[in-house]
Amino acid sequence: LSAAGAQLFFMSDDGVGGKQLWCSDGTAAGTRQMMDTMPGNSAVMRNLTAVGNQIFFIVNDSTLWRSDGTQAGTVIVDTNVNSQYPVRFGNRIVYRTGNRLPAQLAELKISDGTAAGTVSLFQSSSEQDPLNRRIANAPVVSGSRLYFMDQTPADGVGIWYTDGTSA
């Protein structure tokens, strides 16, 4: 259950399409299913995260979606997500991608919910862990910084931070 703007977003099962994302303005007439993210199947949705008037959520632990409360505005942001914990950082969202295969490095991305507004913040350089699970799933926001953990061959495990830029 999460509020974004004047709308309430929640996950529910109507007995027909399985568990899906719903939105309400607080009235029966204004309560509707947003989109069937897994047609014919119940989706596993996690972590409804409000950012401004939008909601972000993870489907089946691999796909990041966003919704503005309309069918047309409910879209996929990224299909390579490896995080159950997206984090609001200012007016954007930060999430972890990669390492589904041993050759992929874990990466933190930041997004405003559009393809053009989705960029890499940090890519792990660790080769010590073949599955490269060193970037923490749940970064922490404090003030204007986002803190996370990573391991590098030169420095070992350490705490890193960003102000939301990759430089």
Side-chain angles (χ1 to χ4, degrees), residues 142-153:
S142 179
S144 62
R145 291 183 175 173
L146 178 92
Y147 293 88
F148 58 95
M149 293 179 64
D150 186 46
Q151 178 176 341
T152 64

Side-chain angles (χ1 to χ4, degrees), residues 53-76:
N53 291 329
Q54 303 179 101
I55 198 85
F56 289 83
F57 56 100
I58 306 288
V59 175
N60 293 348
D61 294 333
S62 64
T63 306
L64 178 68
W65 289 71
R66 82 159 160 82
S67 180
D68 63 3
T70 67
Q71 291 264 339
T74 303
V75 296
I76 293 174

Side-chain angles (χ1 to χ4, degrees), residues 5 9 17 46 55 69 90-91 104 115 123 127 139 141 152 156 167:
F9 292 84
R46 299 183 193 279
I55 198 85
N91 61 353
Q104 289 180 311
Q123 187 173 47
E127 295 176 6
V141 175
T152 64

Side-chain angles (χ1 to χ4, degrees), residues 38 44 46 57-65 76 78-84 95-97 100:
M38 297 288 296
V44 177
R46 299 183 193 279
F57 56 100
I58 306 288
V59 175
N60 293 348
D61 294 333
S62 64
T63 306
L64 178 68
W65 289 71
I76 293 174
D78 198 326
T79 58
N80 188 30
V81 176
N82 192 5
S83 175
Q84 295 178 5
Y95 59 97
R96 182 180 164 192
T97 68
R100 296 218 173 272

Side-chain angles (χ1 to χ4, degrees), residues 96 108 133-139 148-150:
R96 182 180 164 192
L108 282 181
R133 300 188 188 279
R134 297 295 185 209
I135 294 178
N137 267 344
F148 58 95
M149 293 179 64
D150 186 46

Side-chain angles (χ1 to χ4, degrees), residues 5-23:
Q7 301 181 88
L8 183 65
F9 292 84
F10 58 97
M11 294 172 232
S12 185
D13 186 340
D14 65 358
V16 177
K19 190 174 181 183
Q20 299 296 334
L21 181 69
W22 288 67
C23 179

